[in-house]
Amino acid sequence: QVQLVQSGAEVKRPGASVTVSCKPSGNTFSGFYIHWVRQAPGQGLEWMGWLNPNSAVTHYSQKFQGRLTMTRDTSIRTTHMELSRLTSDDTALYYCARGPAGWLQFIDSWGQGTQVTVSS
Amino acid sequence: DIQLTQSPSTLSASVTDRVTITCRASQRISNRLAWFQKRPGKSPQLLIHTASRLESGVPSRFSATGSGTEFNLSISSLQPDDFGTYFCQHYYTYPYTFGQGTELEIK
């Protein structure tokens, strides 16, 4: 079973940025995408986008265009999700998740989640 | 965006019952649908992908059918471990979206 280990909880002020890290198990970055999904309190799941950690190609949901950045650091085999210009609406549990690369982009494994709280 | 509507929103059933959850898409999504189980305090777990393909390691009491706009997830004989919230998700066009969830309570 693939494991995805996320960084710890964050508390941010409105207007700030947050970066959440996600390290997949295994010794290769090829063959899969890293997706980011969030769940705000009392709300459903919301897909944010994906990163191909092998090529660094990304696709973001239009909703987050301009303030979402997904990157990878191949030297430490870790991926990052940065969300800028935070508002209270960004308070949520953020999950990284993994799925196969290619045309069937379903999610097959999830990280443990990282709580991001935006509060003044 | 494609809307996914699940029914029922909540479901209460007994151990050994058979239950079915429906997910309807606002437009055709071929077979690009997955089903997840989420228990409180845990991360979601993939049950089914490509509408009807059982994920490795998932008990065979879970099954799913559908294509186009209507999809069903069935649990043939409920077990105590099956409580939680079930979500569908499509991956047909961007943005991928989730259903609102069906909360399954074991009586």
Side-chain angles (χ1 to χ4, degrees):
Chain A
Q1 181 77 13
V2 173
Q3 289 197 325
L4 299 134
V5 179
Q6 297 183 224
S7 52
E10 301 270 6
V11 179
K12 295 292 182 182
R13 300 288 191 203
S17 298
V18 68
T19 299
V20 181
S21 300
C22 171
K23 184 175 175 66
S25 61
N27 55 17
T28 177
F29 257 175
S30 64
F32 62 90
Y33 291 169
I34 294 293
H35 299 255
W36 287 89
V37 176
R38 73 179 187 179
Q39 186 169 31
Q43 303 296 310
L45 295 164
E46 181 174 36
W47 179 83
M48 300 175 70
W50 58 253
L51 162 75
N52 180 334
N54 196 42
S55 65
V57 171
T58 57
H59 186 95
Y60 305 145
S61 170
Q62 189 108 12
K63 175 175 178 176
F64 300 100
Q65 289 281 355
R67 64 185 195 107
L68 175 62
T69 306
M70 297 180 188
T71 57
R72 99 285 199 206
D73 184 336
T74 55
S75 66
I76 57 172
R77 288 200 68 257
T78 299
T79 64
H80 308 282
M81 183 280 298
E82 179 184 17
L83 190 62
S84 63
R85 303 195 301 277
L86 294 169
T87 73
S88 57
D89 289 343
D90 295 313
T91 293
L93 185 60
Y94 287 75
Y95 291 101
C96 72
R98 200 200 87 137
W103 64 284
L104 281 180
Q105 295 175 3
F106 61 89
I107 288 170
D108 60 19
S109 304
W110 297 70
Q112 82 272 23
T114 296
Q115 179 65 43
V116 174
T117 302
V118 183
S119 173
S120 54
Chain B
D1 298 0
I2 295 173
Q3 310 298 319
L4 297 180
T5 303
Q6 291 183 231
S7 60
S9 296
T10 60
L11 183 53
S12 182
S14 300
V15 172
T16 73
D17 281 354
R18 178 182 179 86
V19 299
T20 296
I21 299 168
T22 297
C23 177
R24 288 188 175 89
S26 59
Q27 61 191 74
R28 296 182 66 83
I29 57 171
S30 183
N31 61 354
R32 308 283 181 90
L33 189 97
W35 289 96
F36 300 92
Q37 178 195 32
K38 188 181 182 312
R39 298 192 190 96
K42 302 285 187 183
S43 301
Q45 178 191 358
L46 176 67
L47 302 172
I48 301 281
H49 67 85
T50 322
S52 61
R53 296 187 186 178
L54 191 69
E55 172 69 355
S56 175
V58 174
S60 58
R61 64 180 180 274
F62 291 91
S63 64
T65 60
S67 183
T69 62
E70 184 150 335
F71 301 84
N72 293 305
L73 171 72
S74 295
I75 310 172
S76 62
S77 178
L78 264 181
Q79 299 301 304
D81 257 1
D82 296 338
F83 74 94
T85 302
Y86 290 80
F87 293 94
C88 55
Q89 183 213 7
H90 85 83
Y91 44 98
Y92 184 71
T93 58
Y94 299 118
Y96 300 157
T97 55
F98 291 84
Q100 83 280 11
T102 294
E103 191 172 347
L104 175 58
E105 173 199 88
I106 309 295
K107 285 180 188 172

PDB file of all heavy atoms in Angstrom, chain A residues 8-25:
ATOM      1  N   GLY A   8       2.707  19.022   9.022  1.00  0.00           N
ATOM      2  CA  GLY A   8       1.803  19.261  10.130  1.00  0.00           C
ATOM      3  C   GLY A   8       0.882  20.463   9.948  1.00  0.00           C
ATOM      4  O   GLY A   8       0.984  21.226   8.999  1.00  0.00           O
ATOM      5  N   ALA A   9      -0.006  20.590  10.931  1.00  0.00           N
ATOM      6  CA  ALA A   9      -1.032  21.625  10.909  1.00  0.00           C
ATOM      7  C   ALA A   9      -0.422  23.025  10.836  1.00  0.00           C
ATOM      8  O   ALA A   9       0.682  23.273  11.338  1.00  0.00           O
ATOM      9  CB  ALA A   9      -1.917  21.505  12.148  1.00  0.00           C
ATOM     10  N   GLU A  10      -1.173  23.932  10.213  1.00  0.00           N
ATOM     11  CA  GLU A  10      -0.725  25.310  10.031  1.00  0.00           C
ATOM     12  C   GLU A  10      -1.841  26.271  10.460  1.00  0.00           C
ATOM     13  O   GLU A  10      -3.018  26.009  10.237  1.00  0.00           O
ATOM     14  CB  GLU A  10      -0.411  25.580   8.553  1.00  0.00           C
ATOM     15  CG  GLU A  10       0.670  24.690   7.947  1.00  0.00           C
ATOM     16  CD  GLU A  10       2.052  25.272   8.087  1.00  0.00           C
ATOM     17  OE1 GLU A  10       2.214  26.317   8.757  1.00  0.00           O
ATOM     18  OE2 GLU A  10       2.993  24.684   7.509  1.00  0.00           O
ATOM     19  N   VAL A  11      -1.423  27.389  11.045  1.00  0.00           N
ATOM     20  CA  VAL A  11      -2.336  28.489  11.345  1.00  0.00           C
ATOM     21  C   VAL A  11      -1.777  29.720  10.649  1.00  0.00           C
ATOM     22  O   VAL A  11      -0.597  30.057  10.826  1.00  0.00           O
ATOM     23  CB  VAL A  11      -2.476  28.739  12.856  1.00  0.00           C
ATOM     24  CG1 VAL A  11      -3.417  29.913  13.106  1.00  0.00           C
ATOM     25  CG2 VAL A  11      -2.975  27.487  13.569  1.00  0.00           C
ATOM     26  N   LYS A  12      -2.614  30.369   9.858  1.00  0.00           N
ATOM     27  CA  LYS A  12      -2.153  31.509   9.056  1.00  0.00           C
ATOM     28  C   LYS A  12      -3.115  32.682   9.203  1.00  0.00           C
ATOM     29  O   LYS A  12      -4.300  32.509   9.491  1.00  0.00           O
ATOM     30  CB  LYS A  12      -2.059  31.109   7.574  1.00  0.00           C
ATOM     31  CG  LYS A  12      -1.012  30.049   7.280  1.00  0.00           C
ATOM     32  CD  LYS A  12       0.379  30.581   7.499  1.00  0.00           C
ATOM     33  CE  LYS A  12       1.433  29.541   7.169  1.00  0.00           C
ATOM     34  NZ  LYS A  12       2.798  30.036   7.415  1.00  0.00           N
ATOM     35  N   ARG A  13      -2.546  33.879   8.985  1.00  0.00           N
ATOM     36  CA  ARG A  13      -3.368  35.082   8.963  1.00  0.00           C
ATOM     37  C   ARG A  13      -3.982  35.266   7.576  1.00  0.00           C
ATOM     38  O   ARG A  13      -3.401  34.824   6.569  1.00  0.00           O
ATOM     39  CB  ARG A  13      -2.486  36.304   9.257  1.00  0.00           C
ATOM     40  CG  ARG A  13      -1.786  36.277  10.595  1.00  0.00           C
ATOM     41  CD  ARG A  13      -2.754  36.496  11.703  1.00  0.00           C
ATOM     42  NE  ARG A  13      -2.069  36.742  12.984  1.00  0.00           N
ATOM     43  CZ  ARG A  13      -2.626  36.534  14.155  1.00  0.00           C
ATOM     44  NH1 ARG A  13      -3.860  36.058  14.247  1.00  0.00           N
ATOM     45  NH2 ARG A  13      -1.965  36.794  15.257  1.00  0.00           N
ATOM     46  N   PRO A  14      -5.124  35.927   7.502  1.00  0.00           N
ATOM     47  CA  PRO A  14      -5.690  36.247   6.178  1.00  0.00           C
ATOM     48  C   PRO A  14      -4.673  37.026   5.349  1.00  0.00           C
ATOM     49  O   PRO A  14      -3.963  37.900   5.860  1.00  0.00           O
ATOM     50  CB  PRO A  14      -6.901  37.114   6.528  1.00  0.00           C
ATOM     51  CG  PRO A  14      -7.287  36.679   7.905  1.00  0.00           C
ATOM     52  CD  PRO A  14      -6.010  36.355   8.609  1.00  0.00           C
ATOM     53  N   GLY A  15      -4.598  36.673   4.078  1.00  0.00           N
ATOM     54  CA  GLY A  15      -3.660  37.334   3.178  1.00  0.00           C
ATOM     55  C   GLY A  15      -2.323  36.629   3.051  1.00  0.00           C
ATOM     56  O   GLY A  15      -1.571  36.882   2.099  1.00  0.00           O
ATOM     57  N   ALA A  16      -2.039  35.748   3.996  1.00  0.00           N
ATOM     58  CA  ALA A  16      -0.763  35.018   3.968  1.00  0.00           C
ATOM     59  C   ALA A  16      -0.844  33.845   2.995  1.00  0.00           C
ATOM     60  O   ALA A  16      -1.871  33.593   2.352  1.00  0.00           O
ATOM     61  CB  ALA A  16      -0.436  34.512   5.372  1.00  0.00           C
ATOM     62  N   SER A  17       0.274  33.128   2.885  1.00  0.00           N
ATOM     63  CA  SER A  17       0.357  31.908   2.077  1.00  0.00           C
ATOM     64  C   SER A  17       0.650  30.728   2.985  1.00  0.00           C
ATOM     65  O   SER A  17       1.220  30.896   4.070  1.00  0.00           O
ATOM     66  CB  SER A  17       1.485  32.033   1.032  1.00  0.00           C
ATOM     67  OG  SER A  17       1.235  33.086   0.137  1.00  0.00           O
ATOM     68  N   VAL A  18       0.284  29.550   2.528  1.00  0.00           N
ATOM     69  CA  VAL A  18       0.596  28.339   3.262  1.00  0.00           C
ATOM     70  C   VAL A  18       1.181  27.321   2.288  1.00  0.00           C
ATOM     71  O   VAL A  18       0.778  27.260   1.116  1.00  0.00           O
ATOM     72  CB  VAL A  18      -0.659  27.768   3.957  1.00  0.00           C
ATOM     73  CG1 VAL A  18      -1.683  27.246   2.958  1.00  0.00           C
ATOM     74  CG2 VAL A  18      -0.277  26.658   4.939  1.00  0.00           C
ATOM     75  N   THR A  19       2.135  26.561   2.774  1.00  0.00           N
ATOM     76  CA  THR A  19       2.705  25.467   1.990  1.00  0.00           C
ATOM     77  C   THR A  19       2.546  24.173   2.766  1.00  0.00           C
ATOM     78  O   THR A  19       2.940  24.099   3.933  1.00  0.00           O
ATOM     79  CB  THR A  19       4.188  25.715   1.671  1.00  0.00           C
ATOM     80  OG1 THR A  19       4.310  26.922   0.907  1.00  0.00           O
ATOM     81  CG2 THR A  19       4.771  24.558   0.873  1.00  0.00           C
ATOM     82  N   VAL A  20       1.972  23.189   2.131  1.00  0.00           N
ATOM     83  CA  VAL A  20       1.801  21.860   2.719  1.00  0.00           C
ATOM     84  C   VAL A  20       2.630  20.883   1.903  1.00  0.00           C
ATOM     85  O   VAL A  20       2.604  20.918   0.660  1.00  0.00           O
ATOM     86  CB  VAL A  20       0.324  21.431   2.737  1.00  0.00           C
ATOM     87  CG1 VAL A  20       0.162  20.047   3.367  1.00  0.00           C
ATOM     88  CG2 VAL A  20      -0.528  22.462   3.481  1.00  0.00           C
ATOM     89  N   SER A  21       3.369  20.037   2.591  1.00  0.00           N
ATOM     90  CA  SER A  21       4.233  19.071   1.910  1.00  0.00           C
ATOM     91  C   SER A  21       3.634  17.678   1.954  1.00  0.00           C
ATOM     92  O   SER A  21       2.850  17.348   2.847  1.00  0.00           O
ATOM     93  CB  SER A  21       5.609  19.060   2.574  1.00  0.00           C
ATOM     94  OG  SER A  21       6.194  20.336   2.504  1.00  0.00           O
ATOM     95  N   CYS A  22       4.043  16.881   1.000  1.00  0.00           N
ATOM     96  CA  CYS A  22       3.512  15.524   0.868  1.00  0.00           C
ATOM     97  C   CYS A  22       4.623  14.647   0.314  1.00  0.00           C
ATOM     98  O   CYS A  22       5.152  14.922  -0.776  1.00  0.00           O
ATOM     99  CB  CYS A  22       2.315  15.542  -0.068  1.00  0.00           C
ATOM    100  SG  CYS A  22       1.673  13.925  -0.549  1.00  0.00           S
ATOM    101  N   LYS A  23       4.975  13.621   1.076  1.00  0.00           N
ATOM    102  CA  LYS A  23       6.053  12.735   0.624  1.00  0.00           C
ATOM    103  C   LYS A  23       5.482  11.342   0.361  1.00  0.00           C
ATOM    104  O   LYS A  23       5.045  10.654   1.294  1.00  0.00           O
ATOM    105  CB  LYS A  23       7.158  12.662   1.668  1.00  0.00           C
ATOM    106  CG  LYS A  23       8.372  11.842   1.230  1.00  0.00           C
ATOM    107  CD  LYS A  23       9.470  11.909   2.264  1.00  0.00           C
ATOM    108  CE  LYS A  23      10.643  11.003   1.892  1.00  0.00           C
ATOM    109  NZ  LYS A  23      11.320  11.471   0.656  1.00  0.00           N
ATOM    110  N   PRO A  24       5.478  10.909  -0.890  1.00  0.00           N
ATOM    111  CA  PRO A  24       4.995   9.557  -1.184  1.00  0.00           C
ATOM    112  C   PRO A  24       6.074   8.518  -0.874  1.00  0.00           C
ATOM    113  O   PRO A  24       7.268   8.806  -0.940  1.00  0.00           O
ATOM    114  CB  PRO A  24       4.697   9.604  -2.678  1.00  0.00           C
ATOM    115  CG  PRO A  24       5.549  10.702  -3.212  1.00  0.00           C
ATOM    116  CD  PRO A  24       5.814  11.661  -2.091  1.00  0.00           C
ATOM    117  N   SER A  25       5.651   7.336  -0.499  1.00  0.00           N
ATOM    118  CA  SER A  25       6.597   6.237  -0.273  1.00  0.00           C
ATOM    119  C   SER A  25       7.110   5.722  -1.612  1.00  0.00           C
ATOM    120  O   SER A  25       6.591   6.073  -2.674  1.00  0.00           O
ATOM    121  CB  SER A  25       5.937   5.109   0.518  1.00  0.00           C
ATOM    122  OG  SER A  25       4.830   4.583  -0.201  1.00  0.00           O
TER     123      SER A  25
END
